[in-house]
Amino acid sequence: AQVLANLGAERAWVVHGLDGLDELSTCDETRVAEVKDGKVRSFYISAGDLGLEPALPADLKGGDAAANAAITLAVLKGEVGPKRDIVLLNAAAALLVAGLAEDLKGGLLLAAASIDDGKALEKLEALKRLSQSFA
């Protein structure tokens, strides 16, 4: 995070789940080093404090590329559960850091709305079409 601050990043989060995940975790607390206004501060986030159910690492396990693609589609089509929760949490953080949400709870609402109204799936489909046009 200090390197990002030194390079002039306006706002950024560097995160590490205490369970070893390299993203915000729903299995354990996550340590966040935030760059904001040229300063770095650290804090912890607990998904449970945001109303998300705690998950077990096995709940988030993926597989090969085909299995992971199926998981992604299921989440974007509205499947609820631990995989959706971790997607929502990380999307909420991205929305917050980008200045599109006031706080993580607001980011969770925006992320859930994007999935529930089909806009997230529409973006994935548009990305697929675009990438295939270059093939």
Side-chain angles (χ1 to χ4, degrees):
Q2 189 60 57
V3 170
L4 289 170
N6 292 347
L7 290 172
E10 292 179 29
R11 188 159 189 199
W13 280 16
V14 177
V15 301
H16 176 75
L18 298 185
D19 55 359
L21 288 182
D22 60 351
E23 60 185 285
L24 278 80
S25 178
T26 52
C27 299
D28 202 343
E29 286 190 317
T30 301
R31 182 171 187 244
V32 178
E34 178 184 49
V35 177
K36 188 175 179 184
D37 301 325
K39 296 182 177 140
V40 176
R41 73 177 181 109
S42 293
F43 55 92
Y44 291 86
I45 291 174
S46 172
D49 292 344
L50 298 166
L52 297 173
E53 291 293 320
L56 298 172
D59 297 332
L60 305 175
K61 188 170 168 72
D64 62 14
N68 292 341
I71 290 167
T72 300
L73 283 175
V75 168
L76 293 181
K77 289 181 177 180
E79 184 175 290
V80 297
K83 291 177 175 87
R84 173 184 166 107
D85 288 349
I86 198 164
V87 166
L88 292 177
L89 180 60
N90 282 277
L95 291 165
L96 174 62
V97 171
L100 300 173
E102 292 290 321
D103 55 28
L104 281 174
K105 286 188 179 189
L108 286 170
L109 292 173
L110 288 172
S114 180
I115 290 173
D116 295 339
D117 68 13
K119 288 183 181 171
L121 183 57
E122 286 175 18
K123 285 294 180 187
L124 175 63
E125 294 300 329
L127 177 62
K128 285 170 49 178
R129 285 190 302 276
L130 179 65
S131 68
Q132 290 168 354
S133 73
F134 291 114

